[in-house]
Amino acid sequence: MHDDRSITEHRLRRVLKERVKPAVHSRAVPLTVERWEAPGEPVPVAEGLAAGYEPCAIGDPWGPAWGTTWFRVTGTVPEDWAGRTVEAVLDLGFDRMMPGFQCEGLVHRADGGEVKALNPYNDWVRVADRAEGGEQVEWYVEAASNPVLVDHAATYEGDLPTSGDQPLYRLARMELTVFETEVWELVQDLEVLYDLMTQLDTADARRHGILRALGAALDALDLADVPGTAAAARGCLARVLAVPANASAHRISAVGHAHIDSAWLWPLRETVRKVARTASNMVNLMDQHPEFVFAMSQAQQLDWIKTYRPELFERVKKKIADGQFVPVGGMWVESDTNMVGGEAMARQFLYGKKFFLDEFGIETQNVWLPDSFGYTAAMPQIVKLSGSKWFLTQKISWSQINRFPHHTFWWEGIDGTRVFTHFPPVDTYNSDLGGAQLAHAARNYREKGTGSRSLVPFGWGDGGGGPTREHLARARRQRDLEGSPRVRIERPDAFFEKAHAEYADAPVWAGELYLELHRGTYTSQAKTKQGNRRSESLLREAELWAATAAVRVAGYAYPYEDLERIWKTVLLHQFHDILPGSSIAWVHREARETYAAVREELQGITLAAQQALAGQGTEELVFNCAPHARRGVPAGGAGRPARAGEPVTVEERHGGGHILANGRLLVEIDRRGLIVSVYDLEARRETVAPGAAANLLQIHPDFPNMWDAWDIDAFYRNRVTDLVELDRLEVTGSGPRAATVRVTRSFGRSEAVQQITLRAGAKTVDIVTEVDWHETEKFLKAAFPLDVKAERTASETQFGHVHRATHTNTSWEAAKFEICAHRWIHAEEPGWGVALLNDSTYGHDVTRDVRADGGQTTTVRLSLLRAPRYPDPETDQGSHTLRFSLAPGAGIGDAVREGHALNLPERVVRGAGPVAPLVAVDEDAVVVEAVKLAEDRSGDVIVRVYESRGGRARATLTAYFPVAAAVESDLLERPLAGTAVGVPTPEGRVPLTLRPFQIVTVRLHRA
């Protein structure tokens, strides 16, 4: 037989596009359209309905950037359409090639109730399955004119004050039509078979059988009367659609999904509307298709529906009760996991799962994080302690260099906890369920021979409207179809149960799931990151002192509601495009304003609690909220600090510069203002590598290949400028308690002022760097070349630390050229180490070199600032204050202690006398992470601790208040069948036994 494949395929594509698809909606009549431009921000529905509308015509431009236009659409069903299926087609001017990221609409009835959303692949509204002639139609469309910001070019459209006022869209189509059901079904048949056919080998007889059936269907179709001949064409396809799948076909659990970034190329307020639009479409689709299952992951988004669309929320609740609308994930938002602090990660699950339990009575079992930019090695333990048991991600498929070896596996965290994990081989969280993607999932699946199933999240995301009736049609046709994987729409938990039962002995991946991409997100938008870190610290303070006051001070009321509200605000801003710095200017401007308000409110809560504890008096009290004692003030207590130790001296250095000394460290700053020596007098050991200089500011070009705010590519290192030119060098503070050298440098259009301080009794060199930053596409780092032979470094992560190699023996190690650390990073050789501490920096890099003298230099650098142009062209422009410290001779325990001290400054309050801690732990390796009152308002005290050094620990937790019982609890403060917590003594002492990096939550029932 002659090979005529290409002719038939080309014929099919043209006929589908030009004849069959246009015939789905036939016999169109225009609707009457009127419009009203809402001034400023979106208005309540009632205001939109009551507005004064003006005439509008098809082709009219509408919608300036970030505007809202209300359209009133009216019409009458023609008499001769009686009994026909009638739909309106309401096209706002959609780009069909881009299902999200553009204009969107939500259709309302005249009574204000929502009907459904409008999107590029969902621009229809059903009038009636069997219409009545003369039936009246009246709808109100709330249309959002969001600018298209996806082309990765610098634009000022990403913030309201700098965006344009010209219309972005043109009204394309507003018509009543007859919906030709048989034609629509034919479209689905043709598309499914065509997609399947093109994935089959050209030597496969099945491919040729489908080709011949498609040709026969096209022959049966009268292009002048598609509706009248669609059934005959479908008859030609029935046989090939009825052939069952092979017995060994890959099995796909298809889960409806609409990945909605809680902010990204739009502000938070627009996400509120995106979520409502999507949810309205989903409940409508469920009404028509009882087999449809839709998973929604972020408690915050459901809470928005509850707050802003209560009538829609009730519909959602009913579908949740019916089992179709499925809450998943258990977190408040799909957060970043690299930079979120340990306690904040615990609260993501506490408030997320609590919302699902309180509102729906559902305990979510899986963690759904398809799009975050890498996953902390602390996550498995946190997942388990939240009461969840499964984890799903997809983003690791984006890695540039190394292909992850598993799709279904056990993920082992830093403490040894394992969680059953799936990484969908379809390599997208917005699948169209087309033949190409399903075939890719089956081919790509790496567990062949042992596992046989994978999960596919399907539906248009980010405002694209979620799954459509077309997705469900594809799923039905591919449920049992030769050449295709078997597709079954089902709940995520059903997939995980089956996958676990089938593959309980899946391989183990230990440690972090590092994404070999988007490494710049550890640094972009420094003020957002600083706001997050400082908010986490302030929340710790506020809870600690408020809990202490609530137990100790009569009449003091613990601010439950305020703290929960603030926590949820901070958790929202940990979303994986806010905290990583990859959102538009509007998002980060609002984040800065929000963090400022959070700071003011938390400082107020903290001060009120401290004043209640201190009482009336004039004694100057230092409150220490850090988990370790300092200057004689106990952790979690207040008192008068002890004397600091040997006074600090300042001398002129030969050749220029200054020498600072305090009996523990000898610090030399040369005439360039660089630290050329930090001598550990106790260990008789030099910190700075020979011939090198520490605290060296370096600047690199920063123009990655694609994702500006997200990425740094390794070639940035090929060019570097050391900032050694000096404007001024001066001693600005010299006294027995501290000495400070101030260094001022100018570079490009920017200036950096650094204050290098040595304090009495301290074994850290403290550096405050103030940068007035006005560079573009540049990367600023601070380098510390250390005279340390370190084979690996330790970086603080949530509730512990991770080790990473300093060498690049393999491509896996070489790919980690930029890494994330929280409050500290530590390098050591046996017997001596150095910690580099920070108060709001996350990005770091570590390199090693062997010197001519045979020694090794391990250079640790902090990534301070970037200046990408997309999506915010003014990223990081302006003034910044960054704090970091060098701690010579530090072990891991020292790094933990000093890291907390830098991030949790002392506060001074006048009062009557010392304040004893509410609780104390007698082992420094066991860190108290949080002290608070229980969420259930019982008055019980919750204490969360963790082992911080990577070893086993025995400790005693002492409660300085009457305790009736001590119970080990999960993150939701429910009893846990654990063995870490012993029976409290009458004196309130609770024995604890912790494995390495174990997190233990103790619920202390007050007597």
Side-chain angles (χ1 to χ4, degrees), residues 39 78 99 111 130 222 237 266 298 510 561 604 659 680 690 704 749 847 889 891 906 959:
D111 64 5
R130 294 179 59 82
D222 182 351
L237 303 173
W266 49 85
Q298 302 182 62
E561 289 79 9
I659 300 174
D680 182 346
R749 296 183 295 127
T847 54
E906 299 168 335

Side-chain angles (χ1 to χ4, degrees), residues 469-497:
R469 57 190 180 187
E470 286 78 16
H471 288 109
L472 302 186
R474 291 172 199 148
R476 285 194 299 274
R477 286 160 174 78
Q478 295 172 106
R479 183 180 177 91
D480 190 13
L481 181 63
E482 185 188 3
S484 168
R486 283 191 172 88
V487 178
R488 179 185 294 271
I489 294 176
E490 57 186 352
R491 298 163 58 94
D493 287 2
F495 161 77
F496 275 106
E497 292 282 9

Side-chain angles (χ1 to χ4, degrees), residues 667-742:
V667 181
E668 294 190 38
I669 301 168
D670 72 3
R671 60 183 178 81
R672 301 170 298 172
L674 300 176
I675 299 174
V676 292
S677 174
V678 181
Y679 192 75
D680 182 346
L681 293 165
E682 297 168 344
R684 293 182 293 178
R685 171 83 193 239
E686 177 58 61
T687 305
V688 181
N695 190 36
L696 173 64
L697 296 179
Q698 297 178 305
I699 198 162
H700 296 268
D702 186 15
F703 191 67
N705 284 344
M706 183 173 178
W707 301 85
D708 287 11
W710 293 259
D711 283 356
I712 53 173
D713 288 322
F715 54 72
Y716 86 89
R717 290 179 173 177
N718 297 345
R719 291 183 58 195
V720 60
T721 300
D722 293 342
L723 302 181
V724 297
E725 297 299 320
L726 189 67
D727 293 350
R728 287 185 304 281
L729 178 65
E730 54 192 331
V731 176
T732 58
S734 178
R737 297 179 63 181
T740 299
V741 174
R742 179 185 174 100

Side-chain angles (χ1 to χ4, degrees), residues 593-663:
E593 295 166 357
T594 298
Y595 286 132
V598 163
R599 180 177 66 248
E600 183 175 353
E601 189 169 4
L602 287 174
Q603 286 175 339
I605 292 172
T606 295
L607 180 59
Q610 289 174 335
Q611 288 175 332
L613 289 163
Q616 296 296 316
T618 59
E619 184 175 351
E620 197 171 80
L621 303 174
V622 170
F623 279 76
N624 174 24
C625 79
H628 303 91
R630 53 184 170 185
R631 296 205 294 156
V633 179
R640 297 181 63 184
R643 293 184 60 186
E646 190 172 319
V648 182
T649 62
V650 182
E651 299 177 3
E652 294 294 319
R653 180 177 180 270
H654 179 70
H658 307 279
I659 300 174
L660 313 181
N662 69 352

Side-chain angles (χ1 to χ4, degrees), residues 397 403 407 424-427 439-448:
S397 69
R403 184 182 176 194
H407 284 113
V426 71
D427 286 346
H440 174 76
R443 286 194 300 265
N444 192 38
Y445 183 61
R446 305 205 74 173
E447 322 308 326
K448 295 182 183 75

